[in-house]
Amino acid sequence: MKKILTLILLLALLPITVAFAITPAAKEFTSGNRTKFSTAGHPKSKGINMVLSYPNSWLAEEGERPNIVQKFFSEGGRGLEGALIITKKLELPPGTAFSENDLKEFFTPAEMKTMVPGAKFIQAKPTKIEGIPAGILEYSMRHENAGITIDSQFISYIFIYGTTMVQLQCMVSTGQATTPAVLIRKMDDFRPLFLLMANSIVLQDRWK
């Protein structure tokens, strides 16, 4: 709760055009109408014990693919905005441990840019999540399937805990082919909510 209140205060001090053109979903979240999801004991969590919050009006359901722990979609699952919790066990020798400097080097903009082959890189920057070096990666992608073309824009909050890479992958779309300007405006509308969700992450065994 303290983390969320601090973030809300910081956002409130920024110019409205930069920080908080308050969308209904973000307002819902900040007013306390949110639900917690825990990865504890989930067979796809790769041992990650993490809690995050999402708006009550969003639908949460398990992902179909092996590395998708949970997916969340707006408007009770009918919307075109969503987020995924993705975990991937890194193939490393037993006993491998990353230092803080190792993680900082991994989450440079240049390194993160290499993570989006087949997509259009927008920007990346280092940050911290739960005190751990992390990264924020933004990109857009065109997906074609069964005669339908859909353009989407993504913002992923990524960190490595132990030997598992964790992503909160957030997405907006119009459900059809569109222009970059349309996607940018929509992402700007939902960016405050995605930031709130990322800042609600708590690693339950991090502070024991």
Side-chain angles (χ1 to χ4, degrees):
M1 176 64 72
K2 183 178 179 182
K3 289 173 64 179
I4 292 175
L5 290 175
T6 300
L7 179 64
I8 293 169
L9 176 61
L10 290 172
L11 288 171
L13 295 174
L14 294 173
I16 189 69
T17 55
V18 174
F20 239 35
I22 299 181
T23 64
K27 186 175 181 180
E28 178 183 5
F29 193 102
T30 58
S31 65
N33 294 316
R34 55 184 180 266
T35 301
K36 288 184 178 180
F37 172 78
S38 173
T39 66
H42 195 287
K44 298 180 185 178
S45 69
K46 318 297 192 297
I48 297 296
N49 185 356
M50 182 180 87
V51 173
L52 65 73
S53 298
Y54 63 95
N56 286 347
S57 65
W58 286 37
L59 175 70
E61 58 185 9
E62 187 168 340
E64 294 86 359
R65 296 183 179 180
N67 293 326
I68 299 177
V69 179
Q70 195 79 354
K71 56 186 181 181
F72 311 89
F73 280 95
S74 63
E75 298 178 26
R78 301 182 304 276
L80 296 172
E81 304 80 34
L84 307 176
I85 298 174
I86 302 172
T87 58
K88 184 175 182 180
K89 200 73 174 177
L90 301 177
E91 296 181 4
L92 299 167
T96 299
F98 292 103
S99 68
E100 184 163 338
N101 283 337
D102 290 335
L103 294 174
K104 285 181 178 178
E105 289 176 6
F106 184 85
F107 289 114
T108 63
E111 285 295 324
M112 284 189 282
K113 186 175 181 179
T114 66
M115 297 173 65
V116 290
K120 181 181 178 182
F121 174 80
I122 297 175
Q123 63 178 347
K125 62 181 179 180
T127 186
K128 286 193 173 184
I129 293 176
E130 282 285 81
I132 301 170
I136 303 175
L137 174 63
E138 295 190 53
Y139 57 97
S140 61
M141 182 180 293
R142 171 163 288 185
H143 177 72
E144 297 183 11
N145 188 56
I148 298 174
T149 300
I150 298 174
D151 287 329
S152 302
Q153 186 164 325
F154 300 82
I155 178 167
S156 288
Y157 301 88
I158 311 166
F159 62 95
I160 295 172
Y161 192 54
T163 57
T164 300
M165 180 181 290
V166 183
Q167 289 190 59
L168 175 64
Q169 184 188 77
C170 304
M171 176 270 291
V172 298
S173 178
T174 59
Q176 59 187 357
T178 188
T179 65
V182 170
L183 286 175
I184 289 170
R185 286 196 297 270
K186 192 164 189 182
M187 178 58 81
D188 286 344
D189 285 343
F190 278 84
R191 190 182 303 274
L193 171 63
F194 296 151
L195 184 59
L196 287 165
M197 291 174 66
N199 274 271
S200 76
I201 291 173
V202 175
L203 293 167
Q204 298 288 70
D205 58 355
R206 166 74 170 151
W207 308 107
K208 290 184 178 180

